[in-house]
Amino acid sequence: MLSELMNFLRACFRPGSDGFARSGSDAGGRQDGLLWYKDSGQHLNGEFSMAVVQANNLLEDQSQIESGSLSSNESGPYGTFIGVYDGHGGPETSRFINDHLFHHLKRFTSEQQSMSVDVIRKALQATEEGFMSVVARQWSIAPQIAAVGSCCLVGVICNGTLYIANLGDSRAVLGRAVKATGEVLAMQLSTEHNASIESIRQELHSMHPDDPNIVVLKHNVWRVKGLIQVSRSIGDVYLKKAEFNREPLYAKFRLRDPIKRPILSSDPSISVHHLQPHDQFIIFASDGLWEHLSNQQAVDIVQNNPRSGSARKLVKAALQEAAKKREMRYSDLKKIDRGVRRHFHDDITVIVVYLDSNLMSRASTVKFPSISVRGGGVNLPHNTLAPCTTPT
């Protein structure tokens, strides 16, 4: 029992999950209150900028950028991996993804000796299965972990091709220049899975024709089974396997009727884009940003400001909008501490990845110094554990 407990605690709060960059010459980020940022860094195909602002008591957003070898044998292919993981119910699933997904991707890339949609799909499935194993092992001592999950947005740039995989409602938006006018237009690359979208509600009804309550309008918000807004995720095992939707799980998460088939899916939407010289940058962000800014507004902010600090500019613009909606000053919003801050906005993670057309032509076999940066939050003491038994 003690060894099981220790394994669980490690899964909840792994060393190295403190939210700060670790390896590579390009590591390091700064903390300013609830804002963490790395204004500028270099990846294989250009520059990048990152920023995270925390609203929850424990940061539920996790994120990373990895550039260099995309295979575990370090022989290539070389490229850049971007991940934004927006957790819900607690930070355990998003932390787990941050610690495991990229390693799975490198393993499958090594096996297939190339990057592909299949490699990304397998890496996500292995991550899902890994987290399900954690829930199964810890069910008897910490059952509420079954109600913790995460959205998962992934981008992989390799050999001039951009792969976008998504589960949930984070979003990737491309800034593409129009030659004739010089404008930079927003182009959404990711498919979202949120019950607020009519096509997603139709999809759920077609998958569950015998369940009239598969989506419920609750407090003016569409939710799957009246519980959750997203229809696809990593984790949320209580809506995928019947054995985890029973006591001692909190009553608010337990369904009246037993689960006959998974209610939520872990199958990602994956798209492939062949990058063009007029593709300028990609914005990867959790839904905390898109609640306050449109795709084009975000692209305009990036286009009209220096590259260094562009992610921080986007976060600030979203916070200014959040303050305006509550008829308060931005300076006053910044004074509100984590936890209480969640009443005003969500955790927000932004990664802006610039595409240098000169570097994009690099073959995926060209070796590049390895870079690994993780987005951060308030650096809690190492003996502080996520609230595995009290989901938010």
Side-chain angles (χ1 to χ4, degrees):
M1 180 63 80
L2 181 60
S3 63
E4 285 185 357
L5 179 61
M6 290 307 295
N7 286 336
F8 174 64
L9 298 184
R10 289 190 194 101
C12 280
F13 203 84
R14 291 173 62 93
S17 295
D18 56 4
F20 290 91
R22 42 200 51 72
S23 63
S25 59
D26 218 336
R30 294 187 175 186
Q31 193 82 37
D32 177 13
L34 296 180
L35 175 71
W36 176 95
Y37 60 94
K38 179 172 176 59
D39 279 344
S40 183
Q42 192 75 29
H43 69 100
L44 182 66
N45 306 115
E47 297 171 69
F48 69 89
S49 180
M50 288 178 79
V52 180
V53 68
Q54 182 170 347
N56 287 291
N57 190 42
L58 286 167
L59 181 69
E60 294 184 346
D61 275 18
Q62 299 290 317
S63 55
Q64 65 189 129
I65 183 164
E66 313 280 344
S67 200
S69 178
L70 298 176
S71 67
S72 52
N73 58 20
E74 302 300 322
S75 63
Y78 296 90
T80 299
F81 172 96
I82 305 100
V84 173
Y85 320 122
D86 179 1
H88 43 260
E92 293 79 22
T93 314
S94 55
R95 289 178 181 177
F96 186 89
I97 300 168
N98 221 12
D99 286 332
H100 293 87
L101 176 57
F102 183 58
H103 298 294
H104 286 309
L105 180 117
K106 292 178 79 172
R107 176 166 60 89
F108 288 117
T109 303
S110 295
E111 288 178 10
Q112 298 200 5
Q113 298 185 321
S114 66
M115 182 53 60
S116 67
V117 167
D118 189 49
V119 162
I120 296 168
R121 195 178 298 279
K122 283 181 174 178
L124 286 163
Q125 191 56 39
T127 306
E128 165 83 345
E129 289 169 3
F131 189 73
M132 277 197 170
S133 296
V134 169
V135 174
R137 288 198 306 270
Q138 310 310 331
W139 172 254
S140 61
I141 55 171
Q144 308 314 324
I145 197 171
V148 181
S150 182
C151 300
C152 183
L153 172 65
V154 167
V156 179
I157 303 169
C158 185
N159 213 18
T161 300
L162 169 66
Y163 301 85
I164 297 287
N166 197 40
L167 291 155
D169 56 9
S170 296
R171 188 182 301 172
V173 173
L174 176 72
R176 173 171 283 177
V178 180
K179 284 183 183 177
T181 62
E183 292 176 283
V184 176
L185 298 181
M187 177 180 165
Q188 185 167 323
L189 302 176
S190 53
T191 301
E192 289 168 36
H193 314 112
N194 188 300
S196 66
I197 303 167
E198 188 178 352
S199 61
I200 298 298
R201 295 198 298 276
Q202 290 173 352
E203 179 183 74
L204 287 163
H205 281 299
S206 67
M207 291 170 65
H208 303 271
D210 53 345
D211 187 353
N213 297 315
I214 188 65
V215 282
V216 178
L217 189 62
K218 195 172 180 181
H219 306 303
N220 217 30
V221 176
W222 286 103
R223 294 180 183 273
V224 182
K225 299 300 289 183
L227 291 168
I228 188 169
Q229 288 180 261
V230 295
S231 62
R232 303 192 196 189
S233 69
I234 301 291
D236 296 308
V237 182
Y238 76 117
L239 290 175
K240 294 174 179 175
K241 291 197 170 186
E243 61 263 41
F244 300 115
N245 197 289
R246 58 183 174 83
E247 291 185 344
L249 189 70
Y250 290 151
K252 66 178 179 178
F253 296 121
R254 298 202 301 268
L255 302 178
R256 187 175 301 167
D257 300 315
I259 295 174
K260 295 176 184 175
R261 66 180 74 89
I263 291 167
L264 299 191
S265 168
S266 61
D267 184 33
S269 293
I270 304 179
S271 56
V272 181
H273 310 269
H274 298 290
L275 293 168
Q276 307 297 324
H278 51 282
D279 294 336
Q280 305 292 298
F281 53 81
I282 314 152
I283 304 166
F284 296 86
S286 56
D287 73 320
L289 181 80
W290 309 112
E291 284 173 7
H292 302 292
L293 298 178
S294 70
N295 293 353
Q296 192 60 51
Q297 283 175 321
V299 164
D300 289 345
I301 289 167
V302 173
Q303 177 62 19
N304 296 327
N305 284 283
R307 290 185 171 192
S308 180
S310 59
R312 190 152 50 111
K313 282 274 187 193
L314 284 170
V315 167
K316 182 177 180 180
L319 295 183
Q320 287 173 326
E321 284 299 313
K324 193 185 297 181
K325 287 172 185 175
R326 299 299 287 268
E327 297 182 341
M328 65 190 300
R329 291 180 300 189
Y330 168 65
S331 57
D332 291 332
L333 176 65
K334 283 178 66 180
K335 294 172 187 172
I336 300 171
D337 203 1
R338 59 193 170 90
V340 178
R341 183 80 84 90
R342 183 61 184 87
H343 297 290
F344 299 85
H345 65 83
D346 199 354
D347 294 336
I348 301 174
T349 294
V350 180
I351 305 176
V352 181
V353 175
Y354 292 93
L355 305 169
D356 186 325
S357 57
N358 296 321
L359 298 177
M360 289 304 299
S361 59
R362 266 182 181 166
S364 64
T365 52
V366 174
K367 196 163 184 178
F368 178 80
S370 171
I371 298 301
S372 177
V373 182
R374 292 192 184 188
V378 172
N379 198 17
L380 296 173
H382 283 290
N383 62 352
T384 305
L385 293 173
C388 299
T389 54
T390 52
T392 55

Short mmCIF file of all heavy atoms in Angstrom, two decimals, residues 11 23 31 100 104 131 145 241 259 279 285 342 359 375:
data_model
loop_
_atom_site.label_atom_id
_atom_site.label_comp_id
_atom_site.label_asym_id
_atom_site.label_seq_id
_atom_site.Cartn_x
_atom_site.Cartn_y
_atom_site.Cartn_z
N ALA A 11 3.28 10.40 -9.54
CA ALA A 11 2.48 10.71 -10.73
C ALA A 11 1.84 12.08 -10.62
O ALA A 11 1.70 12.80 -11.59
CB ALA A 11 1.40 9.65 -10.93
N SER A 23 16.62 21.76 -20.04
CA SER A 23 17.82 21.42 -20.79
C SER A 23 18.01 22.32 -22.00
O SER A 23 17.09 22.99 -22.44
CB SER A 23 17.76 19.96 -21.22
OG SER A 23 16.66 19.78 -22.09
N GLN A 31 9.49 34.85 -13.98
CA GLN A 31 8.22 34.89 -13.26
C GLN A 31 7.95 36.32 -12.81
O GLN A 31 8.82 36.98 -12.24
CB GLN A 31 8.30 33.97 -12.04
CG GLN A 31 6.95 33.69 -11.40
CD GLN A 31 6.18 32.59 -12.11
OE1 GLN A 31 6.75 31.63 -12.58
NE2 GLN A 31 4.87 32.74 -12.18
N HIS A 100 5.18 12.64 -20.48
CA HIS A 100 5.23 11.37 -21.20
C HIS A 100 5.01 11.46 -22.71
O HIS A 100 5.56 10.64 -23.45
CB HIS A 100 4.19 10.40 -20.61
CG HIS A 100 4.49 9.97 -19.22
ND1 HIS A 100 4.08 10.67 -18.11
CD2 HIS A 100 5.19 8.91 -18.75
CE1 HIS A 100 4.51 10.06 -17.02
NE2 HIS A 100 5.18 9.00 -17.38
N HIS A 104 6.94 9.30 -25.82
CA HIS A 104 6.25 8.31 -26.66
C HIS A 104 6.41 8.64 -28.14
O HIS A 104 6.66 7.75 -28.97
CB HIS A 104 4.76 8.26 -26.31
CG HIS A 104 4.45 7.59 -25.01
ND1 HIS A 104 4.92 6.33 -24.68
CD2 HIS A 104 3.70 7.99 -23.95
CE1 HIS A 104 4.49 5.99 -23.48
NE2 HIS A 104 3.74 6.98 -23.01
N PHE A 131 -2.04 7.05 -18.60
CA PHE A 131 -2.77 7.73 -17.54
C PHE A 131 -3.89 6.85 -17.00
O PHE A 131 -4.16 6.84 -15.79
CB PHE A 131 -3.33 9.08 -18.01
CG PHE A 131 -3.88 9.89 -16.87
CD1 PHE A 131 -3.03 10.50 -15.96
CD2 PHE A 131 -5.25 10.02 -16.69
CE1 PHE A 131 -3.53 11.22 -14.89
CE2 PHE A 131 -5.76 10.75 -15.62
CZ PHE A 131 -4.89 11.35 -14.70
N ILE A 145 -9.05 10.96 -8.84
CA ILE A 145 -8.20 11.18 -10.01
C ILE A 145 -8.89 10.72 -11.29
O ILE A 145 -8.55 11.15 -12.39
CB ILE A 145 -6.82 10.49 -9.83
CG1 ILE A 145 -5.81 11.07 -10.84
CG2 ILE A 145 -6.93 8.98 -9.94
CD1 ILE A 145 -4.38 10.62 -10.62
N LYS A 241 -14.90 4.64 -18.75
CA LYS A 241 -14.98 3.25 -18.28
C LYS A 241 -15.94 3.15 -17.10
O LYS A 241 -15.80 3.89 -16.12
CB LYS A 241 -13.60 2.73 -17.88
CG LYS A 241 -12.65 2.56 -19.06
CD LYS A 241 -11.48 1.68 -18.67
CE LYS A 241 -10.67 1.31 -19.90
NZ LYS A 241 -9.61 0.33 -19.56
N ILE A 259 -22.32 3.18 -17.76
CA ILE A 259 -21.73 3.50 -19.06
C ILE A 259 -21.66 2.23 -19.92
O ILE A 259 -21.04 1.24 -19.52
CB ILE A 259 -20.31 4.10 -18.88
CG1 ILE A 259 -20.40 5.44 -18.14
CG2 ILE A 259 -19.63 4.28 -20.23
CD1 ILE A 259 -19.04 6.03 -17.78
N ASP A 279 3.80 31.58 -45.03
CA ASP A 279 3.31 31.24 -43.68
C ASP A 279 4.28 31.85 -42.67
O ASP A 279 5.45 31.48 -42.62
CB ASP A 279 3.23 29.72 -43.52
CG ASP A 279 2.18 29.10 -44.42
OD1 ASP A 279 1.23 29.83 -44.80
OD2 ASP A 279 2.29 27.90 -44.74
N ALA A 285 -2.52 28.07 -28.37
CA ALA A 285 -2.99 28.62 -27.09
C ALA A 285 -4.15 27.82 -26.54
O ALA A 285 -4.96 27.25 -27.29
CB ALA A 285 -3.41 30.09 -27.26
N ARG A 342 -9.48 32.91 -10.79
CA ARG A 342 -10.21 32.03 -11.72
C ARG A 342 -11.62 32.53 -12.00
O ARG A 342 -12.23 32.18 -13.02
CB ARG A 342 -10.25 30.60 -11.15
CG ARG A 342 -10.92 29.57 -12.07
CD ARG A 342 -10.17 29.46 -13.39
NE ARG A 342 -10.83 28.55 -14.32
CZ ARG A 342 -11.78 28.91 -15.18
NH1 ARG A 342 -12.20 30.16 -15.22
NH2 ARG A 342 -12.32 28.03 -16.00
N LEU A 359 15.14 28.87 -42.97
CA LEU A 359 15.42 27.71 -42.13
C LEU A 359 14.48 26.56 -42.41
O LEU A 359 14.82 25.40 -42.17
CB LEU A 359 15.33 28.10 -40.64
CG LEU A 359 16.32 29.16 -40.16
CD1 LEU A 359 16.06 29.51 -38.70
CD2 LEU A 359 17.76 28.69 -40.34
N GLY A 375 6.47 25.64 -20.04
CA GLY A 375 5.82 26.80 -19.47
C GLY A 375 5.62 26.62 -17.98
O GLY A 375 5.45 25.50 -17.50
#
